[in-house]
Amino acid sequence: VEGQKMSKSLGNVVNPEGIPIAFASITASSLLNTNPVSPSFLPTFKTTFTDSLGFYSFFLLKGEYQIEIRPPSQLEIPNQIQQLSLSSSSQQKIPSFTLLPPTYLLSAVYDHKKSPMKGVVIELYTVSSDNSSPTRFGDCVTNENGLGVIPIAKMIPTHP
């Protein structure tokens, strides 16, 4: 069986003013089986970091990926997720990402007696237009009043 070639994928991450975000963690997770030899192959996870100018690169097989961007915590911008399709096995520039401040979803969890429930994990997902792969937008844990706040990331892919 002939192996697939890796593609070098290049991108960058900036804030709304176009200023590069240095040292953000970027994780690419394969959404489909990309291994031609083993149908039971587990998804691929690769992580890298942006450099001081906000640029990053990966060597990936062609396929569908979920890209999770984790800005440095001092920026107070939530992790952000985008789906990406790599269609070639040569060097490919992927969209740049502009990270925006979050909007928030307030959630409340109560038991059958209408008492607030503390410590409940709430996760917010959306499904792609073809219903094939859910994307996690955010999560939170409820406080003693049963309230949880989920920062919903906004991200604009900007094409070079």
Side-chain angles (χ1 to χ4, degrees):
V1 176
E2 184 178 325
Q4 295 181 352
K5 290 185 178 179
M6 300 289 263
S7 171
K8 183 174 184 179
S9 303
L10 309 168
N12 74 320
V13 179
V14 297
N15 72 12
E17 291 80 33
I19 298 171
I21 297 180
F23 312 113
S25 168
I26 314 292
T27 299
S29 306
S30 63
L31 297 175
L32 302 172
N33 181 355
T34 57
N35 185 332
V37 177
S38 172
S40 63
F41 179 71
L42 295 174
T44 300
F45 298 94
K46 293 193 177 192
T47 300
T48 190
F49 293 88
T50 56
D51 64 17
S52 61
L53 298 176
F55 288 97
Y56 65 95
S57 65
F58 281 109
F59 283 95
L60 300 169
L61 295 172
K62 71 179 183 176
E64 302 293 320
Y65 292 88
Q66 176 174 288
I67 305 294
E68 182 169 6
I69 302 171
R70 297 177 193 188
S73 60
Q74 68 268 23
L75 296 180
E76 297 182 356
I77 299 174
N79 295 355
Q80 301 186 27
I81 298 172
Q82 181 74 24
Q83 290 194 13
L84 174 69
S85 179
L86 295 176
S87 58
S88 76
S89 60
S90 61
Q91 183 166 310
Q92 184 172 342
K93 184 157 175 109
I94 59 178
S96 298
F97 297 108
T98 300
L99 303 185
L100 301 175
T103 54
Y104 296 93
L105 175 69
L106 177 63
S107 305
V109 180
Y110 300 95
D111 66 15
H112 68 283
K113 296 178 185 176
K114 297 186 180 179
S115 299
M117 295 182 67
K118 179 182 178 181
V120 176
V121 175
I122 301 171
E123 295 180 330
L124 178 65
Y125 288 84
T126 186
V127 178
S128 62
S129 59
D130 64 358
N131 293 323
S132 64
S133 53
T135 299
R136 186 175 59 84
F137 272 135
D139 58 38
C140 69
V141 178
T142 58
N143 65 15
E144 63 277 354
N145 299 317
L147 300 176
V149 178
I150 300 175
I152 301 172
K154 295 184 282 184
M155 182 173 3
I156 302 173
T158 54
H159 300 282

